[in-house]
Amino acid sequence: MAPPTNILDHIVHLSPAGKLPDAVTHWERLGFKYTIFSCELTPGGTHAGGLTSNALVALADGVYIELIAFEQPPTEPPASDDRWAKKSPGWIDWALLGLDDYIDVIITERDRWVKSGVKYQKGKEGGRKRASDGKELKWRTTAPKENHGQDTAPFFCQDLTPRDLRVPAAGLDTHTNTALGIAHIHLKVPQAQLDKVRAQISVVLYAQSNESDEWELAVPHGQHSPAPRLKVIGSADATPGIVEVRFYVKKDWRGDATDGFGKGREYTNLDPPKWLLRSIMSFFSGIWSENYNVSMPPSDIMNRSTTTTMAPPTNILDHIIHLSPPGKLSEAVAHWENLGFHVIPGGTHADGLTSNALVALADGVYIELIAFEKPPIGPPASDHWWAKKQPGWIDWACLGLEDSVDQTVAGREKGVDSGVEYQEGKEGGRKRASDGKELKWRVTFPQLKHGRGTIPFFCQDLTPRELRVPAADPDTHTNSALGIAYLHLTVPQAAFNRIKAQLSVVLGAQPNESDEWELAVPYGQFNPAPKLKVVGSVDVNPNITEVGFYAKSSRERETAEGFGRVAFIKL
């Protein structure tokens, strides 16, 4: 599986040629603190080509704003050949974090199904010397090809030297305007190109937009504020571009703007409720502040620490587990086939206690149908983590992308005190029934105090994931199922707030106002992102009560005793 391609790295703001000092002064006046001795608004330096200089506005979410200007007006080569030479001052581009040497190949492969026309050039190495200490920074940028998304699709920036050399750390109190991170990017495109651009961005981000033409982006450090959103807007203007960038802030703020750096008006709410998180919205024709409602009080968010290293994302849904009565796996397979799913034989797990079969989906997630070989009434079966579970939906797993997920979660937990803890990872595996090939993985489980089924466990592949998870395409299932639409998790009302806080730490993101988290999936170009919804209940036993599937055609909700509740959502 290719690394994620939806992690926002930075947004580029162009100033008139030779006017970078004026831009720095302007951003300082907007409340982004500047000092030559620290990294609040960081002096950048001259890029390796000598054509441009930059300064950085680093944010606590790990994203930064790059303030850039040509040294001289780009009227002659080589400056006139630069991809930004014809851009007007203001927001001009945005970059995602590159985590692979061949992003151009990855995106081309994804677009084979979609045929959106988006294409990327091969990566090119670049760099600059840092003004503060002369250290050389190196990176590889992968940009869209001309006429194939160059004015709308992001470019990618992959670090060849440590990212913390390129991106200074920022704390929660770095900026006097209390800015924490990016809230929104609004991208304007000609109305006639809206559908094409929407398809291209879906391929690049590996996710579908929601009904409001918004994508949820990941950030390097996602525990301080809700995930940012990219919104695409159709316009009569023939020139596409970023028209607005919003920032999450801790409190209300006033500011002004000057011509050439974004101009316009300001709005403010002078007596806001304390539980609201704010967002500054700055764009080429104005700056103002707006309330943003989050489900976790700022007092819980603001105490969190930040780090200069970026852990891999922990919100990629890997699989959901469905338990059948002991020895009844074959009956479960028949039931799922009756629901219109193609079921793939699995095998017996390495411990010999359980067997499984898989329902693979086009989004890369799968359903694991599992059953104990015999009733788990004596050791070692009775010691199994699922031995006391009733048949139905019993657990869910996120994809592990590092060896020490337990430490990553522990680092996020500092200052939050939700109580979430994970065990060290344990290796496991099974032999595949079809060809006897051995599969190996490392699973990282929540501590026993959490029980099983509310907080996800993590599954990290030690052999290729393709051996563990068979491929599926949009036409695999006769019921036209494409991928997971949602998981409904019921928890005791008394534990509701605690479990919400724990899931926020584990997933590295805050829920929306409906107590839903947007999850990532391995292959996101076929359907919108799935959502995890937590519901309070008088039932003292937390469990997954329903799983929804995106499908190309609609069906009635299916309910079967002992097999969990299933719903189909027509796209």
Side-chain angles (χ1 to χ4, degrees):
M1 190 189 78
T5 54
N6 69 334
I7 302 173
L8 184 60
D9 186 75
H10 68 280
I11 310 170
V12 184
H13 181 279
L14 179 68
S15 301
K19 298 292 186 180
L20 185 62
D22 293 352
V24 168
T25 300
H26 170 75
W27 280 78
E28 182 182 16
R29 192 162 60 242
L30 295 181
F32 293 97
K33 190 176 179 183
Y34 173 79
T35 170
I36 197 168
F37 300 110
S38 67
C39 295
E40 284 96 0
L41 179 59
T42 307
T46 301
H47 285 90
L51 302 177
T52 56
S53 296
N54 75 349
L56 308 183
V57 178
L59 300 165
D61 66 355
V63 181
Y64 67 94
I65 305 299
E66 181 176 17
L67 308 178
I68 195 169
F70 286 92
E71 292 290 288
Q72 302 291 333
T75 56
E76 300 292 337
S80 60
D81 298 328
D82 190 277
R83 65 190 298 249
W84 294 326
K86 295 179 174 62
K87 292 284 188 179
S88 298
W91 300 112
I92 60 167
D93 215 338
W94 57 299
L96 299 173
L97 186 61
L99 298 175
D100 191 281
D101 294 344
Y102 301 101
I103 289 175
D104 57 319
V105 176
I106 291 171
I107 291 175
T108 297
E109 181 64 22
R110 290 177 186 170
D111 203 41
R112 283 201 309 164
W113 290 91
V114 182
K115 297 181 173 60
S116 72
V118 67
K119 293 183 181 179
Y120 275 72
Q121 306 169 36
K122 289 185 177 180
K124 296 180 181 179
E125 293 190 11
R128 65 174 173 86
K129 287 188 176 180
R130 197 159 64 172
S132 58
D133 55 13
K135 284 190 176 181
E136 190 172 15
L137 319 184
K138 291 184 178 181
W139 54 73
R140 178 183 291 111
T141 55
T142 303
K145 287 187 176 181
E146 190 174 356
N147 300 324
H148 292 278
Q150 191 175 74
D151 290 324
T152 51
F155 67 99
F156 287 83
C157 189
Q158 177 188 4
D159 290 287
L160 303 179
T161 50
R163 188 177 189 264
D164 54 9
L165 288 179
R166 178 172 64 91
V167 187
L172 301 177
D173 299 313
T174 291
H175 303 292
T176 57
N177 59 22
T178 71
L180 297 173
I182 300 298
H184 284 262
I185 302 173
H186 284 184
L187 179 65
K188 175 195 67 177
V189 301
Q191 190 66 45
Q193 298 178 18
L194 183 61
D195 289 341
K196 182 181 76 169
V197 171
R198 188 189 295 125
Q200 290 179 342
I201 291 178
S202 294
V203 169
V204 173
L205 299 179
Y206 224 5
Q208 292 296 313
S209 60
N210 62 20
E211 60 277 4
S212 301
D213 288 327
E214 292 179 331
W215 291 261
E216 188 168 285
L217 304 175
V219 291
H221 312 311
Q223 70 267 43
H224 302 298
S225 51
R229 292 185 179 274
L230 168 71
K231 184 175 180 65
V232 175
I233 305 165
S235 170
D237 191 340
T239 304
I242 298 171
V243 293
E244 179 175 310
V245 174
R246 305 181 184 184
F247 298 82
Y248 287 120
V249 300
K250 288 188 288 184
K251 63 182 181 181
D252 208 26
W253 173 87
R254 285 180 177 269
D256 64 358
T258 55
D259 200 6
F261 302 102
K263 60 181 180 179
R265 50 191 178 172
E266 61 194 57
Y267 297 85
T268 185
N269 186 339
L270 296 178
D271 189 22
K274 292 181 179 179
W275 53 269
L276 289 177
L277 194 65
R278 308 276 177 254
S279 67
I280 301 171
M281 304 190 294
S282 67
F283 68 130
F284 193 52
S285 60
I287 292 179
W288 64 87
S289 63
E290 179 185 84
N291 296 342
Y292 190 90
N293 187 352
V294 294
S295 56
M296 194 171 180
S299 60
D300 290 340
I301 298 173
M302 301 316 152
N303 293 327
R304 302 183 185 186
S305 61
T306 188
T307 176
T308 59
T309 59
M310 190 192 78
T314 53
N315 69 334
I316 302 174
L317 184 60
D318 186 75
H319 67 281
I320 310 168
I321 299 173
H322 180 279
L323 179 68
S324 301
K328 300 291 186 180
L329 182 62
S330 59
E331 294 181 19
V333 168
H335 171 75
W336 280 78
E337 288 176 340
N338 287 337
L339 293 179
F341 290 99
H342 174 65
V343 182
I344 303 164
T348 301
H349 285 92
D351 57 13
L353 300 177
T354 55
S355 295
N356 75 350
L358 307 182
V359 176
L361 300 165
D363 66 356
V365 181
Y366 67 94
I367 305 300
E368 181 176 16
L369 308 178
I370 195 169
F372 285 92
E373 291 290 291
K374 298 178 180 179
I377 55 177
S382 60
D383 297 327
H384 195 282
W385 45 82
W386 293 320
K388 295 179 174 61
K389 288 286 188 180
Q390 297 298 312
W393 300 112
I394 60 168
D395 214 340
W396 59 297
C398 288
L399 186 62
L401 297 176
E402 62 171 341
D403 296 343
S404 53
V405 175
D406 57 320
Q407 296 302 313
T408 296
V409 173
R412 292 178 185 165
E413 169 71 359
K414 291 179 180 177
V416 180
D417 299 326
S418 72
V420 67
E421 292 182 275
Y422 276 76
Q423 305 170 30
E424 289 186 8
K426 296 179 181 179
E427 293 190 13
R430 66 174 174 85
K431 288 188 176 180
R432 197 159 65 171
S434 59
D435 55 13
K437 284 189 176 180
E438 189 172 16
L439 318 185
K440 292 185 178 181
W441 54 73
R442 178 182 290 109
V443 288
T444 303
F445 291 116
Q447 290 287 2
L448 294 176
K449 66 180 181 179
H450 297 296
R452 298 304 305 272
T454 52
I455 307 301
F457 68 98
F458 288 86
C459 189
Q460 177 190 4
D461 290 287
L462 303 179
T463 50
R465 189 175 190 265
E466 292 74 16
L467 291 178
R468 178 171 65 91
V469 187
D473 61 45
D475 299 314
T476 292
H477 305 290
T478 58
N479 59 20
S480 75
L482 297 173
I484 300 298
Y486 61 80
L487 289 77
H488 283 180
L489 179 63
T490 300
V491 303
Q493 192 64 51
F496 184 71
N497 289 332
R498 174 173 55 83
I499 290 175
K500 265 204 313 182
Q502 290 175 347
L503 286 168
S504 295
V505 170
V506 173
L507 299 176
Q510 294 296 311
N512 62 20
E513 60 276 7
S514 301
D515 294 321
E516 294 176 329
W517 289 262
E518 190 166 281
L519 304 175
V521 291
Y523 313 128
Q525 75 267 43
F526 298 112
N527 46 260
K531 293 185 181 295
L532 168 69
K533 183 174 180 64
V534 176
V535 182
S537 170
V538 294
D539 191 345
V540 295
N541 295 314
N543 62 301
I544 299 169
T545 55
E546 183 170 305
V547 174
F549 294 83
Y550 285 119
K552 291 184 287 184
S553 60
S554 61
R555 291 187 52 161
E556 294 296 324
R557 178 177 277 112
E558 300 275 357
T559 305
E561 190 68 33
F563 295 102
R565 201 157 65 231
V566 172
F568 294 89
I569 308 299
K570 183 179 179 180
L571 285 176

